[in-house]
Amino acid sequence: MKSHLGHPVFSLLAETAQNNAIEAYVIGGFVRDILLHRPSKDIDIVVLGNGIEFAELLGAKLKTKVNVFKNFGTAMLRYNDLELEFVGARKESYRADSRKPIVEDGTIEDDQLRRDFTINALAISLNKDNFGQLVDPFGGVDDLDNRIIRTPLGPEITFSDDPLRMMRAIRFASQLNFSIDPEALAAITKQKERISIVSTERITDELNKIILSPIPSVGFNYLFDTGLLHIIFPQMANLFGVDIINGKGHKDNFYHTLQVLDNISLYTNDLWLRWAAILHDIAKPATKRFEEGHGWTFHGHEDKGSRMVPQIFAQLKLPLNEKMKYVQKLVQLHLRPIVLAQEVVTDSAVRRLLFDAGEDIESLMTLCNADVTTKNEYKVKKYRNNFELVKQKLKDVEERDKVRNWQPPITGQDIMDIFGIKAGKEVGLIKNAIREAILEGEIPNRYDQALEFMLNKGKEFGLTPITQQ
Ligand code: ATP
């Protein structure tokens, strides 16, 4: 491992350890990432003794500020683009009602044993007599080779001590496409209810990391199979299942959603677009009906789904800001390009879609492409070809009419000023009528034509312009 410690900071660490007769090790994620060939800038250092004092010795040598977190017994310093965190080796024990351990000084092996997974419990010595040697008492390297998430301690104890580790196990499995050791998986299933002592923020943080992993269904399948999903995000677990009436079933919306999420993840790393994929069919269970002679329908699931978004965001402590609005909008509009792709694509339908989607039109098209999950090759080809047509049309109409981010040439204020009326129902009706006329292509997108249209419309309501009153 020596060759991986070529950065000058490691000889400085070794020198500090040697001069002060303190044992020190690099530990955790940094070591794991060396073996996975993933470069990392966060280095955790564990010393036998006082981590803060050690950090201050190194800080003095580097003439760098040391941030001390006395309550946690940790310290942090930056060196160029690296972030080093220091802690004394610990032995931990837990009580049933808290994630906060009782901490005592310990050996390096005690410290490795308190780590969550064997792949995160690897250490490299920074000491003179065995500098660069890997310290792997729990088989972390084998588990990396076999692509397995396993706990150093018995899994029941590990997950009971700190239930956040259940989410972390699934998150690492999803990020690395590893499998979770069957015993660990059984322990998570058994203790899933203990997730309730973890804060929503921490759970959602892990959930977002699962969503951002290369194949998010790996994590979601584990969340579902262990029963954790039912606790942390019941609306999504509720998508699971198929009802059959008169021999007719519908597709399983849980697995369909996972397929859409995996599909979209090939094209975007945007967390919120991935959230839109998760939520696009979220109201299908609530809107499901069996209609005689017709089969299963989910009428209005896009409206109801869009209305469910704020509540789900609040429940998961996701931000209630423009990101949420973006997700709502995509859920609301997700059927529109599909409907377009099935019909003759008229200019006015395209103009209307562009107006409603605005600058999110590309996101919407990405979502709709990902939503095509039929196994029928012929249908896939047909939809994809039609989407290409819709896309081409969108481009043409946008170039010609500039409808994206467009506002009608006559505002509500103009209407009030011209007719000398106060804000009210008529203003809204006239404004909508102008917008509709332009989107339908009845009049061009120009002020003079819109004005003429407005004066005629006003007449229908018995309004005359101020200049003629
Ligand atoms: P990433 O940076 O991808 O989140 P990481 O492994 O560096 O991965 P951190 O959360 O920074 O994750 O944790 C650093 C190390 O601390 C881990 O490698 C692990 O050894 C240990 N660790 C972190 N959280 C826990 C926990 N809840 N229980 C036990 N050990 C933990």
Side-chain angles (χ1 to χ4, degrees):
M1 298 299 292
K2 240 187 206 166
S3 60
H4 295 282
L5 304 186
H7 194 288
V9 79
F10 292 109
S11 18
L12 288 167
L13 281 161
E15 221 174 273
T16 313
Q18 165 82 3
N19 292 347
N20 297 281
I22 300 172
E23 264 187 56
Y25 299 83
V26 192
I27 197 160
F30 186 82
V31 182
R32 176 200 67 214
D33 287 344
I34 289 176
L35 293 163
L36 289 171
H37 311 287
R38 300 197 311 184
S40 163
K41 305 270 176 218
D42 294 334
I43 308 178
D44 287 321
I45 306 292
V46 66
V47 302
L48 301 194
N50 188 318
I52 296 176
E53 273 172 31
F54 187 84
E56 277 167 345
L57 288 167
L58 183 71
K61 207 189 252 276
L62 296 174
K63 300 193 174 49
T64 299
K65 182 167 163 272
V66 178
N67 296 311
V68 174
F69 308 97
K70 252 211 170 115
N71 291 346
F72 297 98
T74 64
M76 190 274 278
L77 66 78
R78 281 180 224 283
Y79 182 70
N80 300 331
D81 57 342
L82 300 177
E83 199 171 292
L84 284 82
E85 186 139 352
F86 298 83
V87 65
R90 298 169 175 181
K91 192 175 172 157
E92 289 182 348
S93 49
Y94 287 79
R95 285 161 298 153
D97 57 344
S98 164
R99 291 188 50 224
K100 275 217 185 85
I102 300 160
V103 177
E104 308 162 61
D105 287 350
T107 63
I108 179 69
E109 191 161 325
D110 288 332
D111 198 279
Q112 288 173 290
L113 194 62
R114 80 178 175 88
R115 305 268 159 180
D116 46 7
F117 309 114
T118 57
I119 62 167
N120 286 346
L122 294 158
I124 304 176
S125 167
L126 294 171
N127 308 302
K128 188 158 182 251
D129 46 354
N130 59 353
F131 181 84
Q133 200 174 87
L134 193 67
V135 187
D136 177 18
F138 307 112
V141 171
D142 282 348
D143 287 344
L144 274 177
D145 286 344
N146 297 322
R147 306 170 68 81
I148 284 186
I149 306 292
R150 208 161 51 85
T151 57
L153 270 174
E156 299 227 353
I157 305 168
T158 301
F159 294 124
S160 168
D161 281 351
D162 177 0
L164 177 66
R165 293 170 183 161
M166 301 193 283
M167 291 297 297
R168 283 175 59 89
I170 294 174
R171 184 257 284 192
F172 282 114
S174 202
Q175 283 180 327
L176 301 171
N177 200 0
F178 278 24
S179 50
I180 299 179
D181 160 62
E183 260 183 63
L185 202 58
I188 296 176
T189 308
K190 193 166 161 200
Q191 310 205 44
K192 56 181 181 284
E193 302 291 344
R194 277 188 65 71
I195 199 69
S196 60
I197 69 163
V198 181
S199 75
T200 306
E201 287 84 350
R202 300 300 294 266
I203 294 173
T204 296
D205 199 36
E206 295 299 331
L207 191 62
N208 282 340
K209 287 181 180 168
I210 293 170
I211 294 170
L212 285 174
S213 54
I215 309 173
S217 64
V218 173
F220 277 102
N221 276 315
Y222 276 130
L223 286 174
F224 185 82
D225 294 343
T226 54
L228 275 171
L229 193 67
H230 304 68
I231 302 171
I232 63 169
F233 187 8
Q235 295 93 333
M236 186 173 178
N238 210 17
L239 289 168
F240 174 84
V242 178
D243 286 333
I244 298 175
I245 294 184
N246 299 345
K248 273 194 183 171
H250 56 77
K251 66 183 162 199
D252 183 308
N253 290 306
F254 179 70
Y255 292 111
H256 164 71
T257 296
L258 290 190
Q259 177 79 61
V260 177
L261 178 59
D262 283 350
N263 285 350
I264 212 164
S265 301
L266 295 171
Y267 297 96
T268 180
N269 289 322
D270 183 275
L271 177 63
W272 308 107
L273 186 47
R274 291 189 182 196
W275 262 110
I278 293 172
L279 294 174
H280 78 287
D281 278 348
I282 200 72
K284 276 202 165 171
T287 54
K288 181 160 64 182
R289 300 268 176 284
F290 187 81
E291 291 176 9
E292 285 301 335
H294 199 74
W296 291 100
T297 64
F298 305 89
H299 288 310
H301 76 274
E302 70 285 16
D303 289 328
K304 191 169 176 61
S306 161
R307 275 184 274 123
M308 284 169 73
V309 171
Q311 194 245 320
I312 290 172
F313 266 51
Q315 163 196 325
L316 291 171
K317 297 216 156 78
L318 287 163
L320 305 176
N321 58 13
E322 74 289 346
K323 302 296 184 201
M324 179 191 84
K325 295 222 172 83
Y326 165 83
V327 174
Q328 268 193 293
K329 182 167 162 188
L330 292 176
V331 173
Q332 173 80 60
L333 296 177
H334 81 268
L335 296 174
R336 294 276 294 277
I338 298 175
V339 174
L340 262 186
Q342 286 163 346
E343 293 169 357
V344 186
V345 188
T346 63
D347 275 12
S348 69
V350 169
R351 220 177 286 128
R352 200 167 276 286
L353 180 61
L354 257 177
F355 177 71
D356 290 337
E359 63 189 18
D360 300 321
I361 187 72
E362 275 92 16
S363 297
L364 183 63
M365 294 307 289
T366 309
L367 174 60
C368 289
N369 253 313
D371 199 8
V372 180
T373 61
T374 166
K375 296 267 181 315
N376 180 330
E377 289 283 331
Y378 168 75
K379 276 195 188 168
V380 171
K381 253 211 181 110
K382 188 174 118 194
Y383 285 157
R384 295 255 150 88
N385 283 343
N386 283 358
F387 276 140
E388 283 313 310
L389 271 180
V390 174
K391 272 190 186 162
Q392 191 51 48
K393 250 260 128 94
L394 278 166
K395 230 176 114 197
D396 297 346
V397 171
E398 169 66 3
E399 268 168 23
R400 203 175 58 229
D401 301 351
K402 304 267 179 296
V403 187
R404 189 192 306 222
N405 297 327
W406 165 79
Q407 288 302 325
I410 291 202
T411 66
Q413 192 60 48
D414 293 336
I415 298 169
M416 290 190 273
D417 292 347
I418 292 169
F419 290 118
I421 55 173
K422 291 215 173 72
K425 211 170 106 198
E426 282 105 354
V427 181
L429 290 172
I430 296 174
K431 207 173 117 184
N432 278 347
I434 298 172
R435 194 190 64 210
E436 291 298 301
I438 295 174
L439 289 175
E440 283 300 322
E442 288 165 22
I443 57 168
N445 180 18
R446 290 213 332 249
Y447 181 80
D448 47 354
Q449 311 259 351
L451 183 67
E452 192 185 326
F453 181 89
M454 182 202 80
L455 293 172
N456 286 331
K457 207 74 207 160
K459 261 191 215 148
E460 290 175 22
F461 291 100
L463 299 173
T464 41
I466 267 188
T467 49
Q468 295 169 25
Q469 283 172 19

